[in-house]
Amino acid sequence: MLAVTVIVTITGQDALGTSASDIFDRNLTGNDGQAQSSPLKEMNFSGTSDVYSHEGILEATIIIDQHEGMVGNEPVKAISYNGSLNGPTLHVKPGERMVLYYVNKLDQPTNIHFHGLHVSPLGSSDNIFRVIGPGETAKYVLDIPIDHATGTYWYHSHLHGLSTDQVGGGLSGLLVIEGLEDLLPDVLHNITQQTFTMRGFPWHYWHLNYTSPTYQTINGEINPVVSISPGETQLWRFANIDPGTFYNITLPGHTFRVIEQDGNPVWEVWDTKYLVLAAGKRFSVLFTGGENGTYPLKMLPYRGGVTHAYPEVTLATINVQGNAGAEKAEVNASSLVPRQDLGDLGVHEVRELVFSASESNTTMNRFGEQGTNMIDGKVFDHNRVDQIVKLGDLEEWKINNTDDDDHTFHIHINDFQVMSVNGQPYDAHGLQDTVILPANGTVVVRMQFEDFVGRFVYHCHILPHEDTGMMGTVEVVDPLTPPFH
């Protein structure tokens, strides 16, 4: 547990549907106007709402539709959940049930994935092979295990071939499994919490090229102001709900104390001045305000190989204001949960995967255009099973990236422990569901396929790469029972 000393208590078309060039009717590039310290004013998008469970059930209707608004005095179109640039934030507890009705008012199909959740991949649960057609309403029912990890998750469109367009257009939102603060010492159970959902907006697709989003937003706002008192400790949740941007964030003069990664409370808390969040990545941190003043939460340049270069941007302004010394907290970090090192267990199966682009980059992808991303020399086929795994087995996967750019590895349903990066042992602080695959590098992970049988996927979470083929299917089978179809 954390040891803390506190003086003051802390308070209807084909499978592809409409392309993004139809959804975004303008090619907006660059970062002009990002320095404006104002939210997305004059937009007719609704604010992000919070939906909580009641008597063990979270029930909500989510309407998927297009909305128009103004960003920086420029008209844009977004695809939204319930009219908001960020979908509703869903709050549920371990052992509870989510019942969600998705109403698709788009003229293209869509579906939903609950990123990071350890739930069934079958039927009306986290089944990304399901399709919600234009004009259809789909009911999703997810039973959260009683022992589910408490932390920060998210949900987003996951229809292969349209994921970039739809997530980039606005189809993503936050999901919180409540109870992370209960793992902190008693004096921090009522800690003030802040959420930072990071998204570039709008994305624009044009013949396999995705231009840099015009704006970088936090919670759907440009450079919002977040307040904290000197010496006050808050719980900050960072979530990259963008299709592909790498966020390398820092706050001058301050330190992030990481207590949760990818929905998993860590078994070893650590301090850092920088957080790198690839698409889909989440961190929860304890943050203590410094001296009175105004500080920029910065997105620093990041280059993963020969591309993915992003300029420095101020994402938010942190206003430290109050009676200096009135609140003081000394947080000595150790652990939130017991260490469960997969390196101490026997491995049942070892596999090796290769993430790569086609050698000539002339292979035709499902868009009918050149340029393909592959795993093991194959593009995604939803009718093919690439890996068959036995329920309960612990496996080690060696994942090679043969490209000159970074990729990422994400797998549904089951989290993993990173064992090594580029041949060097990795000091894991806990489990995670997303990891960067360095350019021309190798990452070794171990994961235990527990509790659930069925088909689900693993892929690069840079969604333009996933949409053009860099995804595979794994099927978990129980040797003692017949397969489910």
Side-chain angles (χ1 to χ4, degrees):
M1 296 294 291
L2 291 178
V4 181
T5 301
V6 180
I7 294 178
V8 175
T9 302
I10 308 303
T11 58
Q13 295 186 8
D14 59 19
L16 291 180
T18 308
S19 72
S21 57
D22 299 317
I23 298 169
F24 298 133
D25 54 3
R26 303 189 60 205
N27 182 4
L28 303 176
T29 60
N31 280 279
D32 296 337
Q34 180 69 36
Q36 299 172 3
S37 297
S38 62
L40 301 184
K41 294 180 179 178
E42 301 179 6
M43 297 183 66
N44 58 353
F45 301 114
S46 62
T48 301
S49 60
D50 289 273
V51 181
Y52 293 87
S53 60
H54 178 67
E55 295 183 350
I57 297 177
L58 184 152
E59 189 167 8
T61 297
I62 297 179
I63 298 174
I64 308 166
D65 203 355
Q66 292 191 32
H67 282 79
E68 297 186 15
M70 301 293 293
V71 181
N73 297 319
E74 297 188 62
V76 297
K77 292 181 181 178
I79 315 173
S80 68
Y81 291 135
N82 288 359
S84 172
L85 272 186
N86 281 359
T89 298
L90 308 177
H91 299 261
V92 67
K93 298 175 184 177
E96 295 188 329
R97 168 174 284 189
M98 291 198 300
V99 180
L100 302 171
Y101 300 89
Y102 283 87
V103 181
N104 183 12
K105 293 189 174 182
L106 302 176
D107 60 358
Q108 59 185 269
T110 188
N111 67 0
I112 191 73
H113 167 50
F114 301 91
H115 185 120
L117 289 191
H118 182 61
V119 295
S120 172
L122 300 175
S124 62
S125 186
D126 189 19
N127 180 359
I128 61 92
F129 297 99
R130 190 179 182 189
V131 176
I132 310 172
E136 292 183 356
T137 296
K139 180 181 180 180
Y140 283 78
V141 180
L142 292 90
D143 290 312
I144 311 299
I146 190 66
D147 59 350
H148 199 287
T150 56
T152 308
Y153 301 84
W154 65 301
Y155 61 97
H156 61 88
S157 166
H158 204 293
L159 189 63
H160 182 59
L162 281 177
S163 295
T164 309
D165 294 351
Q166 294 187 353
V167 175
L171 293 189
S172 58
L174 204 65
L175 193 162
V176 177
I177 304 294
E178 297 285 358
L180 179 63
E181 63 275 19
D182 295 336
L183 300 177
L184 301 173
D186 291 347
V187 291
L188 292 178
H189 284 185
N190 294 319
I191 189 171
T192 297
Q193 301 188 34
Q194 307 281 2
T195 297
F196 299 80
T197 56
M198 298 174 285
R199 179 211 299 278
F201 185 84
W203 278 63
H204 180 79
Y205 174 82
W206 184 253
H207 297 299
L208 290 180
N209 294 312
Y210 284 87
T211 62
S212 298
T214 307
Y215 300 97
Q216 293 295 342
T217 68
I218 295 288
N219 303 330
E221 296 183 324
I222 298 173
N223 195 5
V225 176
V226 176
S227 296
I228 188 171
S229 300
E232 179 189 1
T233 298
Q234 296 183 356
L235 171 57
W236 287 8
R237 301 178 187 267
F238 291 99
N240 182 350
I241 63 172
D242 184 88
T245 302
F246 286 74
Y247 288 91
N248 179 17
I249 62 174
T250 189
L251 189 63
H254 292 79
T255 299
F256 304 118
R257 181 151 290 182
V258 182
I259 61 171
E260 175 247 305
Q261 177 179 200
D262 289 347
N264 294 284
V266 299
W267 60 54
E268 183 180 350
V269 177
W270 80 96
D271 293 342
T272 181
K273 292 186 178 298
Y274 303 92
L275 292 172
V276 176
L277 293 94
K281 193 73 180 175
R282 292 95 61 216
F283 288 107
S284 290
V285 306
L286 294 178
F287 179 83
T288 301
E291 297 181 356
N292 277 314
T294 299
Y295 302 87
L297 179 65
K298 292 184 177 182
M299 170 185 176
L300 299 179
Y302 177 88
R303 181 180 290 277
V306 297
T307 60
H308 306 315
Y310 303 108
E312 181 175 313
V313 171
T314 295
L315 296 174
T317 296
I318 310 304
N319 184 27
V320 181
Q321 200 64 244
N323 184 9
E327 299 186 25
K328 183 179 180 181
E330 182 181 348
V331 182
N332 298 315
S334 55
S335 176
L336 266 70
V337 294
R339 186 180 186 91
Q340 295 180 323
D341 195 333
L342 298 183
D344 297 334
L345 304 178
V347 173
H348 297 95
E349 185 80 27
V350 175
R351 302 175 193 260
E352 187 164 356
L353 288 69
V354 177
F355 282 48
S356 67
S358 58
E359 293 183 5
S360 63
N361 207 34
T362 59
T363 305
M364 301 299 285
N365 60 41
R366 66 174 293 177
F367 297 98
E369 298 169 320
Q370 291 182 350
T372 295
N373 290 283
M374 304 178 295
I375 299 178
D376 296 335
K378 297 176 288 188
V379 297
F380 176 69
D381 182 346
H382 69 274
N383 292 313
R384 184 187 69 233
V385 174
D386 300 285
Q387 317 289 342
I388 297 179
V389 175
K390 293 180 182 179
L391 181 67
D393 275 5
L394 173 67
E395 296 206 350
E396 180 172 287
W397 290 18
K398 180 180 180 181
I399 309 162
N400 303 294
N401 175 10
T402 61
D403 287 346
D404 294 332
D405 292 318
D406 287 0
H407 289 297
T408 65
F409 173 76
H410 168 62
I411 189 167
H412 293 199
I413 310 302
N414 296 281
D415 292 339
F416 53 81
Q417 179 179 334
V418 177
M419 307 305 297
S420 66
V421 177
N422 290 338
Q424 298 300 312
Y426 182 80
D427 183 18
H429 300 280
L431 300 181
Q432 55 196 90
D433 63 45
T434 303
V435 65
I436 295 174
L437 304 178
N440 298 298
T442 298
V443 174
V444 176
V445 303
R446 287 187 181 182
M447 49 193 156
Q448 192 140 27
F449 293 86
E450 299 179 304
D451 301 324
F452 302 109
V453 297
R455 292 189 307 151
F456 49 92
V457 294
Y458 54 93
H459 57 90
C460 177
H461 216 289
I462 301 171
L463 294 185
H465 297 176
E466 182 262 293
D467 274 338
T468 52
M470 193 169 275
M471 183 159 68
T473 299
V474 59
E475 182 170 8
V476 178
V477 299
D478 185 348
L480 302 179
T481 61
F484 178 90
H485 292 290

